[in-house]
Amino acid sequence: MAAEPVKAKKTDKQAQTKIEKYQGEEMVTYGTATDRKFPDTAKATPTYTIDATDVKTKVNATTVEDTIRYAPGVLIRKRFMGDPNGTLGMRTSNTFQTAHSMVYADGMPLHNPLRTQWSGAPRWSMVSPSEIDSAEVLYGPFSSQYSGNSMGGVINLNTKMPEKFEAQMDTMGMFQDTHRSGRNEILSGFKTFISAGDRIDKFSVWGSYNHFENEGQSQTVNAAALSSAAGGTAVTGGEGYQTVTEAPAIAYGDIGTDQQTTDLFKAKFGYDFTEDLQGRFTIAYEDRVGKVDNPNSLLRDAAGNTVWGGATATGLSTSTNYRTAGGKRFAVPGSNFKVSDSERQALNYGLGLKGKISTNWSIDTTASYYDAFKDRTISSNLNPNHPLNQNKGQISDEKPWWATYDLKLANDKFLGRDDLSFMGGYQFNHASLDLDVYDSSDYRSGAVGAKTNNSGGATQTNSAFSQLEWRFMPDWSVMAGGRYDYWQALDGHVYDYTNANPNLRIQNYADRDASRFSPKASLEYSPDKWTFRYSFSKAYRFPIAEEMFASISKLNSITTAVPGLGPEAGYFHNFMTQYDIPRGYVRANFFFDQINNEINSTSVTINGQTTNTFQPIDQTEAVGVDLTYQQNEVFDLPIDLMANTTIMDKQITKHNPIGTNSANYTGKEWNRIPQLQINGSAAYHITQPWTASVGVRYRSDSFNQLDNTDTAANVYGGVDESTFVDLKTSYKLPLNPKLKSTLSAGIDNVFDANAFEAHPYPQRTYFISASLKY
């Protein structure tokens, strides 16, 4: 494991010790410190790194986000295997604040700079878990090279390139036993991956194909609150339930299974201009197809026919009242049993250059482009089996694209001094979003009818940054830096073709801009096996296109954007203490965050109508600690142990409500943030080719709503306490000296925990896989 760049006043013997000893997960894995293609310019940031070997032996990895499953303070709302909306939360930023986290694969951004909430998940499926070499997790905006979108943190995925001819084939089967909402089914899926690559002198090439398909459990429990009001058509069936506020309710079915199929084609080309300077070009094409069908209704009318909710004579959805056998009334809209199909075709490519350009200067630069040139969802108004169904529906088209350029220059002997290091650079980001919604007279054929609304816009940021490190005494260093961002909101608009008010039908928003400067600083003392580091940052996070411009009216949802949103402004503190032990380390990070005007998606009352919108919360404060222990070959036994705990509390300290009927959230807990999170794993190397491991993921419950009224457990819409225990065993078959063959089997959620984070998580799931590598 590599250490930090050698400090100038260490002796050669001390420097060699720093390189050879086991540094744990603090730094990226390379052979020696000099193997790095670019200096470590994020040393002020708390860091955790996962090696590909650990993933292969300890994780049932179906998609790439599984590689960081056990990282401290990281939450991924992966609702099912293949979930296109696997949102990411880090530390004090929850899984619906996706604009607070950044994900890169070899310097190319995978995070979504346009959307947040459930639709803002990183484009995980653009990378296969089989190509990962390491994953580096950085917490907070403490490095000047990352914008305020790193308030939660940054994930850097590093992929492999061949050193000689190689070929690989992986296959995996998965099976989930699901039993919710009247369903008792075995859901299945499989994954295949093939790749080949070679290196010829200075040129290297690698190509792959990854196919994934899976049936996910139903993501919505159809339920409704019960009332004692009069009226309603008598029905039978349904199950006793409760709302998130513990009010009596009835569960009357679900929306159907979620089936996802993804094909990913990728090619990477590398060229070594010198031994220490490498260029790389990456291109990837993804075709993702989704289907939600086979909704399940538990309701029956007096004649025994299945009830599919309310509808009009013209085949549109409406809400109809029903009455239980016990005399309680509830409402069911027909759109709750709709079916849908989706397809996304996307192209992602980038060109990078990394390494030394002179004796002391290094460069790391990447230009990339992402374009989802087809992103369409087709939904029916009613269930196909509804007696009033006329195949009417709705079509939603999304047109997202973004382009980025990143240039970093670094020098570890700045101005010819061994005790100075410099890093500086420039970044450009442009992201554009356009959303169209159409009526359809025949959803089955994809017939596009009248456009009902269109909204969208773009953001653009030009940034300059730098930082300087001074190793002013043996074992002491100080780092200071800053970042300047010039942000623009462009072409914002909302066209609502159904609005009778001409003043609200067409709204074009004036372009606007803003600029902010963010200071950074850290102080480190690292005697012998100890490291102490205090880091400070002020950061600004500018609003994204969805928050300002995405006003959408769909079958069962209305979203109203806020074009005048300003930037979030946060102060971040972290104090790290680490002690190195043989083949491992013990670490503690104490952190405190204060954010002003933090943007949250909330339901508020405006002019008597409740809509989903984005609201700036005046001030939040979070305090916490994460503790990590990691050690290989404990007591010289063939056992590897890892455990981490994150304890934190985040509250709203100031809030001025919007609208006369809006709630005041002052003193409330921030939503979707667990106060306690524990991860652990133990791997036993039974023999050299045979390894068995167990992993545990625990999180305490939290609120899903800012008013903290959702207190019910194990119901749709709530966020539950959960403990997931995972098992895996793998065996390397000695087939041929040049052919590596591995068989693996595993179980996720061994004890079949039933837990929700708004949507239900998978129940007990089984895996079996095989891998061949030449």
Side-chain angles (χ1 to χ4, degrees):
M1 305 294 291
E4 299 177 4
V6 177
K7 299 174 183 177
K9 297 187 180 181
K10 293 274 186 183
T11 66
D12 291 343
K13 182 177 180 180
Q14 289 173 314
Q16 187 64 25
T17 300
K18 275 284 186 181
I19 293 174
E20 291 181 345
K21 72 179 182 179
Y22 185 87
Q23 283 294 97
E25 303 293 349
E26 176 69 5
M27 301 301 160
V28 183
T29 306
Y30 295 90
T32 67
T34 58
D35 284 341
R36 301 185 66 96
K37 294 293 184 185
F38 191 77
D40 183 4
T41 54
K43 287 188 292 183
T45 306
T47 307
Y48 184 88
T49 302
I50 302 99
D51 185 79
T53 302
D54 284 338
V55 176
K56 290 178 182 178
T57 56
K58 302 173 185 177
V59 182
N60 298 309
T62 56
T63 48
V64 75
E65 61 266 42
D66 290 326
T67 60
I68 54 175
R69 173 184 293 180
Y70 299 112
V74 173
L75 287 173
I76 298 177
R77 193 198 64 158
K78 182 179 177 180
R79 302 172 301 167
F80 59 92
M81 292 168 290
D83 186 4
N85 301 322
T87 56
L88 170 66
M90 299 181 66
R91 262 205 186 167
T92 63
S93 297
N94 68 36
T95 53
F96 263 28
Q97 293 179 281
T98 58
H100 277 203
S101 57
M102 308 174 81
V103 181
Y104 293 90
D106 300 321
M108 297 168 56
L110 299 182
H111 54 271
N112 192 330
L114 293 163
R115 306 293 299 266
T116 184
Q117 305 181 92
W118 58 270
S119 57
R123 299 304 198 218
W124 301 111
S125 54
M126 300 302 293
V127 179
S128 165
S130 297
E131 63 178 298
I132 291 296
D133 187 45
S134 65
E136 183 183 33
V137 184
L138 288 75
Y139 300 90
F142 296 104
S143 175
S144 64
Q145 65 188 334
Y146 295 112
S147 71
N149 295 87
S150 63
M151 284 184 173
V154 179
I155 294 173
N156 288 314
L157 302 175
N158 306 299
T159 69
K160 307 170 186 175
M161 285 295 283
E163 291 298 323
K164 57 183 179 180
F165 176 76
E166 64 176 43
Q168 182 173 343
M169 181 177 68
D170 299 336
T171 183
M172 172 185 283
M174 41 212 153
F175 311 90
Q176 180 192 169
D177 179 12
T178 183
H179 37 275
R180 288 191 186 103
S181 306
R183 287 185 184 270
N184 290 282
E185 300 175 335
I186 299 295
L187 303 176
S188 62
F190 72 94
K191 179 176 80 78
T192 56
F193 170 84
I194 57 173
S195 69
D198 198 3
R199 181 183 180 89
I200 305 171
D201 193 22
K202 296 182 178 182
F203 181 75
S204 55
V205 61
W206 183 90
S208 70
Y209 167 66
N210 189 75
H211 177 83
F212 180 94
E213 60 181 83
N214 182 55
E215 297 175 301
Q217 76 280 6
S218 180
Q219 289 304 296
T220 300
V221 177
N222 283 335
L226 296 172
S227 75
S228 56
T233 303
V235 293
T236 58
E239 299 175 347
Y241 210 65
Q242 59 180 339
T243 67
V244 292
T245 59
E246 302 186 50
I250 181 174
Y252 54 84
D254 62 42
I255 64 169
T257 55
D258 202 318
Q259 304 162 57
Q260 295 288 327
T261 301
T262 303
D263 291 293
L264 175 66
F265 303 84
K266 178 176 282 190
K268 295 184 288 189
F269 306 89
Y271 185 79
D272 293 348
F273 295 94
T274 68
E275 184 177 345
D276 299 316
L277 182 65
Q278 184 185 69
R280 182 185 291 192
F281 175 73
T282 302
I283 184 167
Y285 167 74
E286 176 199 37
D287 186 6
R288 170 185 282 273
V289 178
K291 179 184 289 290
V292 180
D293 63 2
N294 191 28
N296 183 34
S297 175
L298 303 177
L299 302 178
R300 302 294 183 268
D301 62 17
N305 300 313
T306 302
V307 173
W308 297 106
T312 68
T314 58
L316 301 179
S317 171
T318 189
S319 188
T320 296
N321 291 323
Y322 297 97
R323 181 169 295 277
T324 68
K328 298 295 183 179
R329 197 180 81 175
F330 63 100
V332 179
S335 60
N336 279 9
F337 292 107
K338 69 179 184 295
V339 298
S340 65
D341 291 279
S342 61
E343 183 174 10
R344 184 174 75 207
Q345 296 177 358
L347 189 65
N348 188 201
Y349 54 86
L351 181 65
L353 182 67
K354 191 173 186 178
K356 286 188 175 183
I357 54 176
S358 69
T359 303
N360 296 323
W361 283 96
S362 298
I363 189 172
D364 184 0
T365 183
T366 304
S368 70
Y369 178 76
Y370 175 90
D371 183 12
F373 54 88
K374 180 178 182 180
D375 195 341
R376 169 169 286 191
T377 299
I378 302 175
S379 302
S380 66
N381 279 350
L382 304 173
N383 187 276
N385 297 315
H386 198 294
L388 296 178
N389 175 50
Q390 297 180 26
N391 297 324
K392 292 183 178 180
Q394 194 173 72
I395 295 176
S396 300
D397 277 342
E398 182 173 339
K399 300 179 181 67
W401 67 269
W402 55 83
T404 68
Y405 176 69
D406 191 330
L407 170 66
K408 293 190 289 286
L409 297 170
N411 188 328
D412 274 341
K413 293 185 178 181
F414 188 55
L415 302 178
R417 295 179 52 168
D418 290 340
D419 60 346
L420 286 182
S421 294
F422 170 83
M423 183 273 292
Y426 164 78
Q427 289 168 353
F428 170 82
N429 295 275
H430 183 96
S432 176
L433 177 68
D434 196 65
L435 302 169
D436 291 313
V437 180
Y438 304 87
D439 284 332
S440 176
S441 59
D442 185 358
Y443 77 90
R444 295 178 304 174
S445 65
V448 178
K451 182 184 291 188
T452 59
N453 58 74
N454 164 260
S455 61
T459 61
Q460 183 169 290
T461 308
N462 287 271
S463 307
F465 54 91
S466 67
Q467 65 188 31
L468 186 71
E469 181 187 16
W470 179 29
R471 296 173 288 277
F472 59 94
M473 291 176 60
D475 301 323
W476 285 88
S477 68
V478 62
M479 182 183 292
R483 178 183 182 89
Y484 175 80
D485 295 302
Y486 174 66
W487 169 88
Q488 297 170 278
L490 309 168
D491 304 322
H493 63 275
V494 175
Y495 303 154
D496 184 353
Y497 301 99
T498 65
N499 201 315
N501 187 338
N503 295 322
L504 298 177
R505 188 178 305 153
I506 298 177
Q507 301 177 71
N508 291 312
Y509 303 114
D511 296 348
R512 60 192 180 101
D513 60 77
S515 59
R516 295 292 188 274
F517 177 77
S518 306
K520 320 282 181 179
S522 71
L523 177 66
E524 180 179 315
Y525 175 53
S526 54
D528 195 25
K529 297 181 180 180
W530 286 94
T531 301
F532 303 93
R533 183 192 302 127
Y534 167 71
S535 303
F536 164 80
S537 171
K538 185 175 184 181
Y540 296 90
R541 201 278 288 183
F542 293 94
I544 58 177
E546 180 183 19
E547 294 168 330
M548 295 184 293
F549 307 131
S551 292
I552 309 169
S553 177
K554 293 189 175 181
L555 292 174
N556 52 6
S557 67
I558 297 176
T559 298
T560 301
V562 184
L565 282 173
E568 303 172 334
Y571 298 86
F572 301 84
H573 307 262
N574 191 93
F575 178 72
M576 188 197 81
T577 300
Q578 177 173 312
Y579 181 73
D580 297 329
I581 57 179
R583 299 172 299 279
Y585 64 94
V586 180
R587 180 189 304 148
N589 278 294
F590 302 89
F591 54 90
F592 174 74
D593 301 348
Q594 183 186 80
I595 304 177
N596 298 316
N597 299 315
E598 186 166 4
I599 300 171
N600 194 297
S601 171
T602 58
S603 294
V604 299
T605 302
I606 302 175
N607 297 327
Q609 182 181 9
T610 300
T611 60
N612 186 58
T613 189
F614 298 94
Q615 181 178 179
I617 305 299
D618 293 78
Q619 188 179 87
T620 65
E621 290 185 356
V623 60
V625 58
D626 69 60
L627 308 171
T628 303
Y629 158 75
Q630 183 149 328
Q631 189 173 24
N632 292 338
E633 300 179 19
V634 178
F635 300 123
D636 293 323
L637 297 173
I639 298 175
D640 302 336
L641 296 179
M642 183 280 294
N644 62 67
T645 299
T646 303
I647 306 168
M648 63 180 158
D649 180 63
K650 183 172 183 177
Q651 292 192 352
I652 299 171
T653 52
K654 294 180 183 178
H655 176 233
N656 294 313
I658 298 175
T660 57
N661 297 320
S662 298
N664 190 329
Y665 300 133
T666 302
K668 301 297 185 181
E669 297 286 336
W670 196 249
N671 58 346
R672 294 175 177 259
I673 293 288
Q675 293 188 333
L676 177 61
Q677 185 179 349
I678 302 173
N679 298 310
S681 68
Y684 177 35
H685 304 283
I686 304 168
T687 62
Q688 186 173 3
W690 187 15
T691 300
S693 68
V694 57
V696 179
R697 296 169 284 148
Y698 169 83
R699 59 169 291 171
S700 60
D701 61 357
S702 58
F703 296 106
N704 191 32
Q705 300 175 1
L706 283 186
D707 61 10
N708 294 178
T709 58
D710 51 315
T711 56
N714 300 119
V715 299
Y716 176 72
V719 182
D720 294 331
E721 177 184 32
S722 60
T723 302
F724 298 124
V725 178
D726 311 322
L727 303 177
K728 184 172 184 178
T729 183
S730 58
Y731 187 82
K732 298 178 182 178
L733 298 174
L735 297 180
N736 185 289
K738 293 185 177 181
L739 185 63
K740 297 179 181 179
S741 176
T742 304
L743 296 178
S744 302
I747 306 174
D748 278 357
N749 192 6
V750 172
F751 297 109
D752 201 27
N754 182 39
F756 288 75
E757 185 177 343
H759 300 276
Y761 278 122
Q763 296 175 291
R764 185 184 295 116
T765 307
Y766 303 86
F767 305 88
I768 184 168
S769 62
S771 175
L772 288 172
K773 184 173 182 179
Y774 178 82

